[in-house]
Short mmCIF file of all heavy atoms in Angstrom, two decimals:
data_model
loop_
_atom_site.label_atom_id
_atom_site.label_comp_id
_atom_site.label_asym_id
_atom_site.label_seq_id
_atom_site.Cartn_x
_atom_site.Cartn_y
_atom_site.Cartn_z
N THR A 10 9.88 11.22 -13.46
CA THR A 10 8.78 10.82 -12.54
C THR A 10 8.44 11.97 -11.59
O THR A 10 7.41 11.90 -10.94
CB THR A 10 9.21 9.60 -11.72
OG1 THR A 10 10.39 9.94 -10.93
CG2 THR A 10 9.63 8.48 -12.55
N ASP A 11 9.24 13.10 -11.54
CA ASP A 11 8.84 14.19 -10.70
C ASP A 11 7.83 15.05 -11.41
O ASP A 11 7.30 15.96 -10.77
CB ASP A 11 10.16 15.17 -10.47
CG ASP A 11 11.06 14.46 -9.43
OD1 ASP A 11 10.67 13.54 -8.66
OD2 ASP A 11 12.29 14.85 -9.46
N PHE A 12 7.53 14.82 -12.65
CA PHE A 12 6.66 15.69 -13.36
C PHE A 12 5.34 14.92 -13.58
O PHE A 12 5.24 14.13 -14.60
CB PHE A 12 7.28 16.18 -14.75
CG PHE A 12 8.39 17.00 -14.61
CD1 PHE A 12 9.63 16.51 -14.24
CD2 PHE A 12 8.24 18.41 -14.70
CE1 PHE A 12 10.66 17.48 -14.02
CE2 PHE A 12 9.30 19.23 -14.57
CZ PHE A 12 10.54 18.79 -14.13
N PRO A 13 4.32 15.12 -12.81
CA PRO A 13 3.06 14.36 -12.95
C PRO A 13 2.48 14.38 -14.30
O PRO A 13 2.04 13.34 -14.75
CB PRO A 13 2.12 15.05 -12.00
CG PRO A 13 3.03 15.74 -10.92
CD PRO A 13 4.25 16.14 -11.78
N ILE A 14 2.55 15.46 -14.96
CA ILE A 14 1.96 15.62 -16.25
C ILE A 14 2.53 14.67 -17.45
O ILE A 14 1.92 14.26 -18.33
CB ILE A 14 1.86 17.00 -16.74
CG1 ILE A 14 0.63 17.32 -17.62
CG2 ILE A 14 3.21 17.44 -17.46
CD1 ILE A 14 0.49 18.72 -18.00
N LEU A 15 3.78 14.34 -17.20
CA LEU A 15 4.52 13.51 -18.23
C LEU A 15 3.88 12.13 -18.24
O LEU A 15 4.15 11.41 -19.15
CB LEU A 15 6.07 13.41 -17.90
CG LEU A 15 6.66 14.89 -18.03
CD1 LEU A 15 8.21 14.72 -17.89
CD2 LEU A 15 6.43 15.48 -19.50
N LYS A 16 3.00 11.76 -17.24
CA LYS A 16 2.38 10.46 -17.30
C LYS A 16 1.11 10.47 -18.22
O LYS A 16 0.42 9.48 -18.47
CB LYS A 16 1.96 10.01 -15.93
CG LYS A 16 3.12 9.74 -14.97
CD LYS A 16 2.64 9.07 -13.65
CE LYS A 16 3.63 9.22 -12.55
NZ LYS A 16 3.61 10.60 -11.97
N ARG A 17 0.75 11.60 -18.62
CA ARG A 17 -0.51 11.81 -19.39
C ARG A 17 -0.48 11.15 -20.72
O ARG A 17 0.71 11.11 -21.33
CB ARG A 17 -0.80 13.24 -19.54
CG ARG A 17 -1.88 13.78 -18.58
CD ARG A 17 -2.71 14.97 -19.22
NE ARG A 17 -3.47 14.49 -20.29
CZ ARG A 17 -4.47 15.27 -20.81
NH1 ARG A 17 -4.50 16.53 -20.40
NH2 ARG A 17 -5.34 14.81 -21.71
N GLU A 18 -1.61 10.75 -21.18
CA GLU A 18 -1.74 10.27 -22.51
C GLU A 18 -2.53 11.26 -23.35
O GLU A 18 -3.51 11.88 -22.76
CB GLU A 18 -2.38 8.91 -22.44
CG GLU A 18 -1.57 7.92 -21.85
CD GLU A 18 -1.75 6.44 -22.36
OE1 GLU A 18 -2.92 6.21 -22.92
OE2 GLU A 18 -0.87 5.65 -22.31
N ILE A 19 -2.08 11.56 -24.49
CA ILE A 19 -2.84 12.45 -25.42
C ILE A 19 -3.25 11.66 -26.59
O ILE A 19 -2.31 11.00 -27.27
CB ILE A 19 -1.89 13.65 -25.89
CG1 ILE A 19 -1.44 14.39 -24.57
CG2 ILE A 19 -2.67 14.61 -26.83
CD1 ILE A 19 -2.40 15.28 -23.90
N ASN A 20 -4.41 11.59 -27.07
CA ASN A 20 -4.84 10.75 -28.17
C ASN A 20 -4.34 9.31 -28.04
O ASN A 20 -3.80 8.77 -29.00
CB ASN A 20 -4.41 11.38 -29.44
CG ASN A 20 -5.10 12.77 -29.68
OD1 ASN A 20 -6.29 12.92 -29.36
ND2 ASN A 20 -4.46 13.80 -30.17
N ASP A 21 -4.42 8.78 -26.81
CA ASP A 21 -3.96 7.38 -26.62
C ASP A 21 -2.50 7.14 -26.80
O ASP A 21 -2.01 5.99 -26.89
CB ASP A 21 -4.84 6.35 -27.50
CG ASP A 21 -6.27 6.43 -27.16
OD1 ASP A 21 -6.63 6.64 -25.99
OD2 ASP A 21 -7.04 6.25 -28.13
N GLN A 22 -1.69 8.19 -26.87
CA GLN A 22 -0.27 8.11 -26.92
C GLN A 22 0.36 8.67 -25.66
O GLN A 22 -0.17 9.69 -25.15
CB GLN A 22 0.21 8.69 -28.09
CG GLN A 22 -0.41 8.27 -29.44
CD GLN A 22 0.08 6.93 -29.86
OE1 GLN A 22 1.12 6.48 -29.59
NE2 GLN A 22 -0.95 6.21 -30.46
N SER A 23 1.50 8.28 -25.29
CA SER A 23 2.34 8.91 -24.12
C SER A 23 2.59 10.24 -24.62
O SER A 23 3.07 10.51 -25.80
CB SER A 23 3.51 8.25 -23.87
OG SER A 23 3.16 6.95 -23.34
N LEU A 24 2.28 11.27 -23.67
CA LEU A 24 2.67 12.64 -24.09
C LEU A 24 4.20 12.85 -24.38
O LEU A 24 5.03 12.45 -23.57
CB LEU A 24 2.19 13.56 -22.98
CG LEU A 24 2.76 15.04 -22.98
CD1 LEU A 24 2.22 15.78 -24.13
CD2 LEU A 24 2.45 15.72 -21.62
N ILE A 25 4.47 13.59 -25.48
CA ILE A 25 5.81 13.93 -25.68
C ILE A 25 5.65 15.45 -25.75
O ILE A 25 5.22 15.99 -26.73
CB ILE A 25 6.44 13.31 -27.03
CG1 ILE A 25 6.43 11.81 -26.89
CG2 ILE A 25 7.75 14.05 -27.29
CD1 ILE A 25 6.98 11.11 -28.19
N TYR A 26 6.20 16.16 -24.73
CA TYR A 26 6.02 17.53 -24.60
C TYR A 26 7.33 18.29 -25.13
O TYR A 26 8.26 18.30 -24.44
CB TYR A 26 5.70 18.02 -23.20
CG TYR A 26 5.41 19.40 -23.13
CD1 TYR A 26 4.11 19.92 -23.46
CD2 TYR A 26 6.38 20.37 -22.64
CE1 TYR A 26 3.74 21.32 -23.37
CE2 TYR A 26 6.01 21.63 -22.55
CZ TYR A 26 4.84 22.10 -22.90
OH TYR A 26 4.55 23.56 -22.84
N MET A 27 7.16 18.97 -26.18
CA MET A 27 8.34 19.61 -26.84
C MET A 27 7.88 21.01 -27.31
O MET A 27 8.31 21.54 -28.18
CB MET A 27 8.88 18.93 -28.03
CG MET A 27 9.57 17.62 -27.57
SD MET A 27 10.72 16.91 -28.84
CE MET A 27 11.23 15.49 -28.07
N ASP A 28 7.21 21.59 -26.40
CA ASP A 28 6.84 23.08 -26.54
C ASP A 28 7.23 23.85 -25.31
O ASP A 28 6.57 24.74 -24.73
CB ASP A 28 5.27 23.23 -26.69
CG ASP A 28 4.84 24.59 -27.11
OD1 ASP A 28 5.74 25.28 -27.66
OD2 ASP A 28 3.66 24.83 -27.02
N ASN A 29 8.45 23.63 -24.93
CA ASN A 29 8.94 24.22 -23.81
C ASN A 29 9.39 25.63 -23.79
O ASN A 29 9.52 26.38 -22.73
CB ASN A 29 10.30 23.46 -23.27
CG ASN A 29 9.85 21.97 -22.75
OD1 ASN A 29 9.27 21.77 -21.83
ND2 ASN A 29 10.19 20.97 -23.71
N ALA A 30 9.58 26.15 -25.04
CA ALA A 30 9.85 27.64 -25.16
C ALA A 30 8.59 28.43 -24.83
O ALA A 30 8.60 29.58 -24.46
CB ALA A 30 10.18 27.96 -26.52
N ALA A 31 7.38 27.74 -25.00
CA ALA A 31 6.10 28.39 -24.66
C ALA A 31 5.93 28.45 -23.12
O ALA A 31 5.65 29.48 -22.56
CB ALA A 31 4.96 27.73 -25.36
N THR A 32 5.95 27.22 -22.54
CA THR A 32 5.99 27.19 -21.22
C THR A 32 6.58 25.77 -20.71
O THR A 32 6.44 24.82 -21.57
CB THR A 32 4.68 27.29 -20.55
OG1 THR A 32 4.72 27.61 -19.13
CG2 THR A 32 3.75 26.08 -20.56
N THR A 33 7.05 25.55 -19.61
CA THR A 33 7.61 24.29 -19.15
C THR A 33 6.64 23.58 -18.24
O THR A 33 5.80 24.26 -17.70
CB THR A 33 8.99 24.30 -18.41
OG1 THR A 33 8.72 25.15 -17.21
CG2 THR A 33 10.03 24.97 -19.35
N GLN A 34 6.77 22.25 -18.04
CA GLN A 34 5.97 21.59 -17.07
C GLN A 34 6.49 21.78 -15.66
O GLN A 34 7.53 22.28 -15.53
CB GLN A 34 5.83 20.09 -17.47
CG GLN A 34 5.35 19.84 -18.95
CD GLN A 34 3.90 20.45 -19.00
OE1 GLN A 34 3.20 20.74 -17.99
NE2 GLN A 34 3.42 20.65 -20.19
N LYS A 35 5.66 21.39 -14.67
CA LYS A 35 6.09 21.64 -13.29
C LYS A 35 6.33 20.41 -12.42
O LYS A 35 5.51 19.43 -12.54
CB LYS A 35 4.92 22.46 -12.59
CG LYS A 35 4.22 23.51 -13.40
CD LYS A 35 5.25 24.56 -13.91
CE LYS A 35 4.43 25.44 -14.96
NZ LYS A 35 5.37 26.27 -15.77
N PRO A 36 7.49 20.39 -11.78
CA PRO A 36 7.71 19.16 -11.01
C PRO A 36 6.99 19.22 -9.66
O PRO A 36 6.47 20.32 -9.19
CB PRO A 36 9.21 19.26 -10.75
CG PRO A 36 9.59 20.76 -10.74
CD PRO A 36 8.54 21.26 -11.80
N ARG A 37 6.80 18.02 -9.01
CA ARG A 37 6.15 17.89 -7.87
C ARG A 37 6.54 18.91 -6.71
O ARG A 37 5.68 19.53 -6.06
CB ARG A 37 6.26 16.47 -7.37
CG ARG A 37 5.69 16.14 -6.03
CD ARG A 37 4.18 16.36 -5.89
NE ARG A 37 3.38 15.55 -6.74
CZ ARG A 37 2.07 15.82 -7.05
NH1 ARG A 37 1.45 16.92 -6.58
NH2 ARG A 37 1.49 14.97 -7.80
N PRO A 38 7.77 19.12 -6.53
CA PRO A 38 8.20 20.13 -5.46
C PRO A 38 7.67 21.54 -5.66
O PRO A 38 7.44 22.22 -4.65
CB PRO A 38 9.70 20.12 -5.42
CG PRO A 38 10.16 18.79 -6.08
CD PRO A 38 9.05 18.49 -7.05
N VAL A 39 7.49 21.91 -6.87
CA VAL A 39 6.95 23.35 -7.20
C VAL A 39 5.53 23.35 -6.78
O VAL A 39 5.00 24.23 -6.16
CB VAL A 39 7.21 23.69 -8.67
CG1 VAL A 39 6.43 24.94 -8.97
CG2 VAL A 39 8.75 23.91 -8.93
N ILE A 40 4.72 22.36 -7.25
CA ILE A 40 3.33 22.22 -7.04
C ILE A 40 3.14 22.16 -5.59
O ILE A 40 2.31 22.85 -5.03
CB ILE A 40 2.78 20.95 -7.74
CG1 ILE A 40 2.98 21.01 -9.30
CG2 ILE A 40 1.31 20.75 -7.33
CD1 ILE A 40 2.73 19.80 -10.08
N ASP A 41 3.92 21.42 -4.78
CA ASP A 41 3.82 21.24 -3.43
C ASP A 41 4.13 22.56 -2.64
O ASP A 41 3.37 22.83 -1.63
CB ASP A 41 4.82 20.12 -2.83
CG ASP A 41 4.35 18.64 -3.17
OD1 ASP A 41 3.16 18.60 -3.74
OD2 ASP A 41 5.02 17.77 -2.99
N ALA A 42 5.11 23.22 -3.04
CA ALA A 42 5.41 24.52 -2.37
C ALA A 42 4.37 25.49 -2.52
O ALA A 42 4.00 26.22 -1.51
CB ALA A 42 6.73 25.18 -3.04
N ILE A 43 3.58 25.51 -3.63
CA ILE A 43 2.50 26.39 -3.79
C ILE A 43 1.31 26.00 -2.92
O ILE A 43 0.72 26.83 -2.10
CB ILE A 43 2.00 26.42 -5.30
CG1 ILE A 43 3.19 27.06 -6.08
CG2 ILE A 43 0.87 27.39 -5.40
CD1 ILE A 43 2.98 26.78 -7.58
N CYS A 44 1.11 24.67 -2.79
CA CYS A 44 -0.06 24.17 -2.04
C CYS A 44 0.32 24.48 -0.59
O CYS A 44 -0.54 24.88 0.22
CB CYS A 44 -0.20 22.69 -2.20
SG CYS A 44 -0.93 22.28 -3.79
N ASP A 45 1.60 24.23 -0.14
CA ASP A 45 2.03 24.44 1.25
C ASP A 45 1.71 25.83 1.69
O ASP A 45 1.13 26.05 2.74
CB ASP A 45 3.54 24.18 1.39
CG ASP A 45 4.06 24.20 2.75
OD1 ASP A 45 3.25 23.84 3.64
OD2 ASP A 45 5.20 24.70 2.95
N PHE A 46 1.99 26.90 0.80
CA PHE A 46 1.69 28.29 1.14
C PHE A 46 0.27 28.44 1.46
O PHE A 46 -0.20 28.88 2.48
CB PHE A 46 2.12 29.11 0.04
CG PHE A 46 1.60 30.60 0.14
CD1 PHE A 46 2.02 31.36 1.20
CD2 PHE A 46 0.68 31.02 -0.77
CE1 PHE A 46 1.57 32.68 1.30
CE2 PHE A 46 0.15 32.30 -0.60
CZ PHE A 46 0.61 33.10 0.33
N TYR A 47 -0.64 28.02 0.52
CA TYR A 47 -2.04 28.13 0.72
C TYR A 47 -2.70 27.33 1.90
O TYR A 47 -3.58 27.71 2.56
CB TYR A 47 -2.91 27.85 -0.53
CG TYR A 47 -2.70 28.96 -1.55
CD1 TYR A 47 -2.09 28.73 -2.77
CD2 TYR A 47 -3.07 30.32 -1.22
CE1 TYR A 47 -1.98 29.78 -3.83
CE2 TYR A 47 -2.88 31.39 -2.12
CZ TYR A 47 -2.30 31.00 -3.43
OH TYR A 47 -2.12 32.03 -4.36
N GLU A 48 -2.11 26.16 2.15
CA GLU A 48 -2.59 25.30 3.19
C GLU A 48 -2.06 25.68 4.64
O GLU A 48 -2.70 25.50 5.56
CB GLU A 48 -2.18 23.81 2.94
CG GLU A 48 -2.98 23.20 1.76
CD GLU A 48 -2.64 21.77 1.58
OE1 GLU A 48 -1.75 21.26 2.17
OE2 GLU A 48 -3.08 21.25 0.60
N ASN A 49 -0.84 26.28 4.58
CA ASN A 49 -0.29 26.50 5.97
C ASN A 49 0.15 27.87 6.39
O ASN A 49 0.27 28.21 7.58
CB ASN A 49 0.97 25.63 6.07
CG ASN A 49 0.62 24.14 6.06
OD1 ASN A 49 -0.21 23.73 6.76
ND2 ASN A 49 1.21 23.38 5.13
N TYR A 50 0.43 28.74 5.45
CA TYR A 50 0.78 30.05 6.01
C TYR A 50 0.38 31.34 5.06
O TYR A 50 0.89 32.36 4.87
CB TYR A 50 2.20 30.18 6.19
CG TYR A 50 3.22 29.94 5.06
CD1 TYR A 50 3.87 30.94 4.32
CD2 TYR A 50 3.50 28.55 4.62
CE1 TYR A 50 4.68 30.59 3.27
CE2 TYR A 50 4.26 28.31 3.65
CZ TYR A 50 4.86 29.39 2.88
OH TYR A 50 5.74 29.09 1.93
#
Side-chain angles (χ1 to χ4, degrees):
T10 62
D11 288 338
F12 293 79
I14 208 169
L15 296 182
K16 293 190 200 79
R17 259 207 73 173
E18 297 207 331
I19 304 284
N20 295 321
D21 297 327
Q22 306 287 329
S23 296
L24 165 67
I25 295 180
Y26 185 79
M27 293 196 180
D28 192 16
N29 293 290
T32 199
T33 60
Q34 300 303 343
K35 319 304 171 198
R37 175 58 66 195
V39 169
I40 298 166
D41 286 349
I43 296 165
C44 289
D45 184 40
F46 167 67
Y47 285 119
E48 286 179 2
N49 294 308
Y50 59 101

